[in-house]
Amino acid sequence: MSGTYRAMHARSLADPEGFWSEAAAGIDWVRRWDRVLDATNPPFYRWFVGGQLNTCHNCLDRHVDGGRADQAALIYDSPVTGTVRRFTYRELRDAVARFAGALRKNGVGKGDRVILYMPMVPEAVIAMLACARIGAVHSVVFGGFAANELATRLDDATPKLVVSASCGIEPGRIVPYKPLLDAAIEWARHKPERCIILQRPEQRCSLREPRDVDWEAAVAAAEPAACVPVAATDPLYILYTSGTTGQPKGIVRDNGGHAVVLKWSMANVYGVAPGETFWAASDVGWVVGHSYIVYAPLLHGCTAILYEGKPVGTPDAGAFWRVIAQHGVSTLFTAPTAFRAIKRDDPDGALIAGHDLTRFRTLFLAGERSDPATLEWAEAKLKVPVIDHWWQTESGWPMAANCIGIERLKVKHGSPTKAVPGWDVRVLDAQGVEAKPGDIGAIVCRLPLPPGSLPTLWNADKRFVDAYLTAYPGYYQTGDAGYLDEDGYLYVMSRTDDIINVAGHRLSTGAMEEVLAAHPDVAECAVIGAADEIKGQVPLGLLVLKSGAASPPETIVREVVALVRERIGPVAAFKTATVVKRLPKTRSGKILRGTIQKIADGKEYKAPATIDDPAILDEIAEALRDLGYPKVLR
Ligand code: COA
Ligand code: AMP
């Protein structure tokens, strides 16, 4: 109905307590809250204070008891192992209860942290829900991160136990996880007491007893554990995301607000009904995986898909259509990069033919800017609405979207549409004044943020305030820049910090620079995100060598590429670097990364007035030309 969105959004901001207490009726509570929103300690806000619930109960037991026991809760579809496995709600509940018992038997209790370093196997989902069941706090670390990143998270989260697997499987290669885990534990100051290891048949690993326990043995020895009531404000999980340094930020998610908004978002943002099949083609190591592979579909009584494969190459660019048809997917959520890869391999969409996509209704894209060409291709080939929506690890759920469950608004390519109810999204100029429509500024959200968004950073309240709430008092700084148009449509254009988006994965160029700078022959360096046809952006390194560097430049380049892979992980996709004589800087010594990026991307640039020596820009352009930049993007 026309105007429904506008009215709902306005109400969510005018009466947030009324709005969210109504949404909270969608969740089973052990104890009703005393206060919907506790705003007594700004800028810290808490939702559903005094309330008690269990997230795992709401994801599983509730549906088993409510008539969905035999409905599929989770379908594991793994082209890389040639496996499809279905878990009904009852089967998943039983497996989770058992594993929760195993966690408990191995010393994990309420409030303890558990790190999960897992490939895309059902046991990853089981372990997440098992933590939720006993009130433990999980922290999933994406499998593409290196041991060093895992060690950083071990030290920050100080887990009692780690759950991992013998290996992950990437197309064409097996990735042994256990050596990475062993190395991380060796390097970390904090040592977990136990590791529960899933032995995958594709490659088993040796266990270090008594620290390491075999998954099967741990489960066999355990009794099922019941759901434990936790406070709505207790943490459900910590998810680390790139900050502006090598030290990642531990985003905290609470139990109550998270359950309420995720359930609400399924109907209102995604327009999905309980019983339907929802597929987020992401990884459980990212926020999209937490929210829309695991929690939201299960909270809503849907069937969730866990896909261990890629959009292309497993076996071909028709893989997504096969999964949609085989499992009757109604809604797919993925990153634009997946569609760019599919379009590259199958430009005419020939592989769509022969797959029954009649139940497929909507495609949602997020994680990076959706370029109009990719959107148009997807619309033309799939003949379903393609909806760009915008959010981040910190928000945990969409901040801007075309909320098709409320009212389908006009689509404007290049825009993720408008603020989702609960989010008061504004654009501010450098003085903190609201920008005029069309003028680019910092995208911020007025406090308080809605339920489900980060209440703080793990053990780092001050960093939370400094990083997000200080630049624009009264507002949360998203780190994105963009504008609102005359109709209130949001356009997200770039980051205001050093974060780049590589194949929808969020990475810090600052963290990569820290690694490059650690090479003994590197005097100075800069890493920028250069435009890439498939991945959106890829990192590109520029190195200035120390005089008398021991090795030739090609060797140093090879070494720094290997170093980033070793310290951060293959997911960084850091493959290109070059040696330059000097880096362009302002007179105060700030490296002009933005200008280097423009040169790499073939955009117009002018030497900033503050530049130390404009001639350096020509040198950089020449060095990048030798590397094939700017690349011609279609
Ligand atoms: N464990 C170990 N290694 C991993 C990994 C994991 N879980 N995930 C990725 N990697 C490795 C890859 O094997 C690759 O290694 P390589 O340099 O040896 O080739 C590297 O990390 C980069 O991986 P990826 O970003 O997946 O790039 P790709 O070239 O293998 O595939 C796409 C490109 C576009 C097909 C792929 O990025 C993709 O499917 N993207 C979908 C986007 C997505 O899921 N985004 C999540 C947020 S919604
Ligand atoms: P992550 O925390 O990994 O989910 O990354 C969040 C960041 O990805 C955001 O802050 C944006 O920079 C970017 N992003 C996510 N969705 C979109 C979108 N729809 N359009 C543009 N950028 C996006």
Side-chain angles (χ1 to χ4, degrees):
M1 213 197 331
S2 172
T4 315
Y5 156 78
R6 195 206 300 237
M8 206 189 246
H9 185 255
R11 176 165 177 239
S12 74
L13 300 189
D15 175 24
E17 296 203 61
F19 187 89
W20 291 114
S21 66
E22 279 167 30
I27 292 299
D28 271 2
W29 296 84
V30 176
R31 182 184 186 278
R32 197 181 154 84
W33 54 92
D34 300 321
R35 200 69 229 259
V36 181
L37 172 64
D38 175 3
T40 54
N41 182 29
F44 297 92
Y45 297 89
R46 295 287 182 270
W47 288 93
F48 303 107
V49 175
Q52 286 185 0
L53 75 163
N54 182 280
T55 297
C56 180
H57 165 85
N58 276 283
C59 287
L60 299 176
D61 305 59
R62 174 181 193 204
H63 302 306
V64 173
D65 301 340
R68 296 192 185 278
D70 298 319
Q71 179 195 312
L74 185 71
I75 299 175
Y76 165 59
D77 186 308
S78 167
V80 293
T81 59
T83 316
V84 174
R85 231 171 113 194
R86 296 164 73 85
F87 294 77
T88 64
Y89 268 96
R90 183 189 286 112
E91 287 165 346
L92 191 59
R93 192 264 324 257
D94 291 349
V96 168
R98 258 299 172 82
F99 192 67
L103 288 175
R104 191 173 274 159
K105 201 155 182 192
N106 281 283
V108 178
K110 194 170 171 175
D112 288 336
R113 273 80 55 214
V114 176
I115 279 196
L116 312 181
Y117 185 54
M118 294 288 274
M120 286 284 284
V121 290
E123 287 79 1
V125 177
I126 290 169
M128 289 167 79
L129 292 165
C131 289
R133 195 167 185 89
I134 57 171
V137 182
H138 63 70
S139 185
V140 184
V141 179
F142 176 63
F145 280 124
N148 182 56
E149 293 285 327
L150 183 55
T152 311
R153 287 151 176 81
L154 284 168
D155 281 336
D156 199 71
T158 60
K160 200 158 213 179
L161 186 143
V162 174
V163 183
S164 190
S166 54
C167 67
I169 301 162
E170 283 293 289
R173 80 189 156 104
I174 288 185
V175 184
Y177 276 32
K178 189 58 179 10
L180 300 174
L181 174 63
D182 289 341
I185 294 177
E186 204 150 296
W187 295 337
R189 286 184 307 280
H190 174 81
K191 314 286 180 197
E193 288 165 24
R194 283 269 179 283
C195 299
I196 299 184
I197 309 292
L198 176 76
Q199 294 281 16
R200 300 190 75 184
E202 290 76 15
Q203 191 175 100
R204 297 175 67 84
C205 63
S206 57
L207 301 183
R208 295 189 187 184
E209 287 165 352
R211 186 198 71 188
D212 297 345
V213 181
D214 173 66
W215 173 291
E216 294 295 335
V219 168
E223 293 295 322
C227 294
V228 169
V230 299
T233 49
D234 279 345
L236 169 68
Y237 70 75
I238 306 163
L239 180 57
Y240 288 89
T241 190
S242 303
T244 44
T245 65
Q247 180 65 31
K249 295 169 173 162
I251 306 298
V252 174
R253 193 81 59 214
D254 68 10
N255 274 274
H258 174 254
V260 169
V261 291
L262 286 197
K263 164 95 177 94
W264 180 90
S265 72
M266 287 298 281
N268 290 280
V269 178
Y270 296 98
V272 171
E276 292 194 301
T277 302
F278 188 91
W279 179 22
S282 176
D283 188 289
V284 288
W286 307 119
V287 68
V288 174
H290 280 61
S291 294
Y292 292 103
I293 294 175
V294 183
Y295 287 110
L298 297 179
L299 285 164
H300 202 45
C302 289
T303 299
I305 305 274
L306 181 76
Y307 176 71
E308 188 181 30
K310 302 262 174 177
V312 293
T314 58
D316 57 29
F320 274 22
W321 326 134
R322 195 267 302 157
V323 173
I324 291 173
Q326 188 169 334
H327 307 304
V329 170
S330 74
T331 308
L332 168 65
F333 173 174
T334 192
T337 189
F339 268 76
R340 287 195 295 268
I342 294 170
K343 183 170 127 205
R344 175 197 57 193
D345 283 13
D346 181 21
D348 298 328
L351 295 170
I352 298 171
H355 294 291
D356 175 7
L357 303 189
T358 45
R359 278 187 281 177
F360 182 43
R361 264 200 327 268
T362 328
L363 169 65
F364 281 87
L365 298 175
E368 56 178 322
R369 191 164 178 274
S370 278
D371 53 294
T374 303
L375 271 168
E376 281 159 20
W377 184 88
E379 281 173 342
K381 301 296 171 210
L382 294 171
K383 302 185 177 56
V384 296
V386 180
I387 295 183
D388 175 17
H389 63 327
W390 168 71
W391 51 300
Q392 43 183 207
T393 309
E394 289 85 344
S395 70
W397 63 292
M399 299 187 283
N402 199 337
C403 297
I404 56 163
I406 301 172
E407 175 190 353
R408 186 174 305 167
L409 301 177
K410 188 174 116 189
V411 171
K412 295 194 190 185
H413 286 170
S415 166
T417 317
K418 298 191 184 191
V420 171
W423 294 96
D424 189 352
V425 178
R426 316 257 177 130
V427 173
L428 302 183
D429 68 17
Q431 282 69 47
V433 175
E434 268 187 62
K436 289 200 295 294
D439 284 357
I440 292 186
I443 307 177
V444 298
C445 303
R446 224 179 119 113
L447 300 178
L449 299 183
S453 51
L454 80 170
T456 189
L457 294 176
W458 180 250
N459 277 342
D461 283 347
K462 182 173 179 310
R463 189 175 180 200
F464 169 63
V465 174
D466 291 348
Y468 299 108
L469 307 176
T470 302
Y472 303 99
Y475 297 90
Y476 162 79
Q477 186 185 10
T478 65
D480 284 324
Y483 64 92
L484 289 161
D485 74 6
E486 298 282 354
D487 301 326
Y489 278 63
L490 179 70
Y491 290 77
V492 182
M493 306 306 288
S494 60
R495 291 283 308 188
T496 55
D497 53 18
D498 72 339
I499 301 277
I500 57 170
N501 244 297
V502 180
H505 310 316
R506 170 169 162 179
L507 295 159
S508 155
T509 54
M512 293 186 222
E513 288 179 3
E514 282 176 22
V515 175
L516 303 192
H519 188 287
D521 287 335
V522 171
E524 274 192 306
C525 63
V527 176
I528 57 128
D532 181 82
E533 193 154 16
I534 299 299
K535 297 196 175 192
Q537 284 183 307
V538 288
L540 168 64
L542 288 90
L543 313 171
V544 177
L545 302 186
K546 288 180 184 160
S547 57
S551 313
E554 317 77 71
T555 309
I556 296 169
V557 164
R558 247 195 335 271
E559 285 170 357
V560 297
V561 166
L563 212 55
V564 173
R565 196 175 171 94
E566 185 190 305
R567 299 264 174 93
I568 297 179
V571 67
F574 183 83
K575 309 230 162 156
T576 314
T578 189
V579 171
V580 293
K581 284 204 270 310
R582 40 198 191 146
L583 290 168
K585 292 186 190 164
T586 61
R587 278 190 283 276
S588 60
K590 202 166 160 285
I591 297 173
L592 292 163
R593 292 179 183 78
T595 312
I596 302 175
Q597 183 171 348
K598 284 194 177 130
I599 297 173
D601 290 350
K603 291 196 178 141
E604 256 184 53
Y605 64 91
K606 40 178 214 279
T610 51
I611 195 167
D612 187 23
D613 177 0
I616 305 181
L617 295 180
D618 298 330
E619 292 169 22
I620 297 288
E622 197 182 325
L624 293 182
R625 245 191 322 272
D626 290 346
L627 276 181
Y629 289 94
K631 301 215 186 268
V632 182
L633 305 183
R634 269 176 291 154

